[in-house]
Amino acid sequence: MRRGVAAVCGELRLGAVVWRFVAAVCAGVVGVLLYSGPAAAHGADAPVAVDYVVRVASVSVAGVEVRAVEGGARLELVNRSGREVVVLGLQGEPFLRVSDRGVEENRQSPTWFASRSIGGSAGGGNAAAAPEWHLVAHQPRVRWHDERARELPARAWSVPLLVDGREPGIVRGTVAAVPAPRTGWWWAGGVLGAVVVGLLWRLRTVLAVVAVGGGGVASVWIVQSAVLAASPADGVGVQVLARLWPLVAAVGVVAAGGLSLFKRVDIVVAIAGACLAVMVGVGDSAVFRYGTLAGPSWGRWGVVVALAVGAGLAVAGGLRWYQAAGEHADAGQGDHGPEVGEHADAGQGDHGPEAGEHADAGQGDHGPEAGERTGPGESDHGPQAGEGGERDQAPPESAQPSLGK
């Protein structure tokens, strides 16, 4: 009975731990989804992929180059002309000034406030006010969000310039739709890869290698995306900070995989894998839906690897952890079972002889007394009863009639 109770208690403890683990993973997934928001941050808030392409058709100023970067989220202007080039804003006001001194921003420009986010929702500034120039970079290269050259519908766009304060210039381009990639195939590849990794849950060394490799691929993709999005005003460090948590998840998978070669850290591997799958695999899944990538050209492969490895490690690590927890529970039952038996045997050994001794002693004490009491009783009362019976049955001679007389 006690062994059965111990087994039930062990299963209840194991079940409670499992539910705590599941609750922790679910809470982490919800938090990550709230963090991830739309698609992920590139260039602070640019999406990882879009369904259109921005093309620059011409620039009227010699020595000035303009191109679309980060999937069309921003325009980049490089001034090698040796002249002062001013980018005019949405209301025709001075917005950016690019020269040999570097890049200056007009903090009174309404376009400057709108360019602080990809949606252009920030308000402020005064187009009629005198420019308030602030030097933000020492190189003649600048990137900015421009509502005139972004998003569908397909159309032609232009951005006016002012050269040396007197000569007008213009940048012309187009926005066109881009066909979507084979979204279902990319998702299927990620799920299939996760299943394959999950089936390797018994092979600790193989899982460690997969974790290090998958986390490494995701880390390289994130860092390379940050490098491509960097500009003199927003350096690589700023862009890496914009991708901090996905990068932490990828590096965490690498660390967990390396640690698992020397120590059993299944629960750590499972949680790190889940974070990687959600933060990178799900958070950057826009690369599966849209045709233009903001980061490296191999970005879809990086995301599908993160999804497959992360989800697979979450399953494999969870299975290994559950198995280890069950083994510990069985070991605990094996430890308590003999103790219960020993206590039971000891109880029988302690109380059994005592009970026997007491029983024997009771029989030995009371038996003779009863016999002794019965013996004298028989000797005292038995003859009396016999004598009394004989007296009653045999009348005295004097009382018998004499037939001879």
Side-chain angles (χ1 to χ4, degrees), residues 62-87:
V64 175
E65 299 176 2
V66 179
R67 65 180 182 130
V69 294
E70 300 174 45
R74 296 198 287 179
L75 293 177
E76 180 186 72
L77 184 147
V78 180
N79 181 12
R80 296 188 178 93
S81 67
R83 307 171 70 182
E84 181 184 274
V85 177
V86 175
V87 179

Side-chain angles (χ1 to χ4, degrees), residues 356-369:
E357 291 174 0
H358 286 301
D360 295 341
Q363 294 175 2
D365 294 341
H366 298 286
E369 290 179 2

Side-chain angles (χ1 to χ4, degrees), residues 97-125:
R97 186 164 65 186
V98 186
S99 64
D100 292 340
R101 296 187 304 272
V103 178
E104 298 170 278
E105 298 175 337
N106 177 16
R107 300 289 174 85
Q108 288 293 333
S109 168
T111 308
W112 179 81
F113 283 93
S115 68
R116 306 310 294 171
S117 65
I118 192 172
S121 58

Side-chain angles (χ1 to χ4, degrees), residues 229-297:
S231 66
D234 298 324
V236 176
V238 174
Q239 299 300 331
V240 168
L241 286 177
R243 303 158 176 79
L244 179 61
W245 292 114
L247 182 59
V248 168
V251 174
V253 169
V254 174
L259 184 60
S260 66
L261 290 172
F262 308 97
K263 185 178 181 181
R264 187 156 193 173
V265 288
D266 302 323
I267 190 67
V268 177
V269 172
I271 294 176
C275 291
L276 179 65
V278 175
M279 287 188 174
V280 180
V282 177
D284 291 339
S285 62
V287 298
F288 301 153
R289 301 192 303 272
Y290 302 131
T292 301
L293 300 180
S297 59

Side-chain angles (χ1 to χ4, degrees), residues 22-86:
V22 172
V25 171
C26 291
V29 168
V30 171
V32 169
L33 289 175
L34 293 177
Y35 156 76
S36 298
H42 283 258
D45 61 353
V48 295
V50 293
D51 58 352
Y52 58 88
V53 59
V54 178
R55 296 185 177 94
V56 177
S58 63
V59 181
S60 65
V61 182
V64 175
E65 299 176 2
V66 179
R67 65 180 182 130
V69 294
E70 300 174 45
R74 296 198 287 179
L75 293 177
E76 180 186 72
L77 184 147
V78 180
N79 181 12
R80 296 188 178 93
S81 67
R83 307 171 70 182
E84 181 184 274
V85 177
V86 175

Side-chain angles (χ1 to χ4, degrees), residues 132-199:
E132 183 182 323
W133 295 109
H134 290 262
L135 184 67
V136 295
H138 294 283
Q139 301 177 23
R141 182 165 65 96
V142 64
R143 290 183 177 184
W144 75 97
H145 295 302
D146 201 310
E147 298 179 21
R148 294 166 289 195
R150 191 179 68 245
E151 297 184 355
L152 295 172
R155 67 189 186 279
W157 57 269
S158 63
V159 175
L161 305 175
L162 185 63
V163 183
D164 291 334
R166 61 182 185 276
E167 180 182 330
I170 193 167
V171 180
R172 300 182 185 276
T174 59
V175 177
V178 173
R182 296 182 179 274
T183 304
W185 286 105
W186 287 104
W187 277 110
V191 173
L192 180 61
V195 171
V196 172
V197 174
L199 292 176

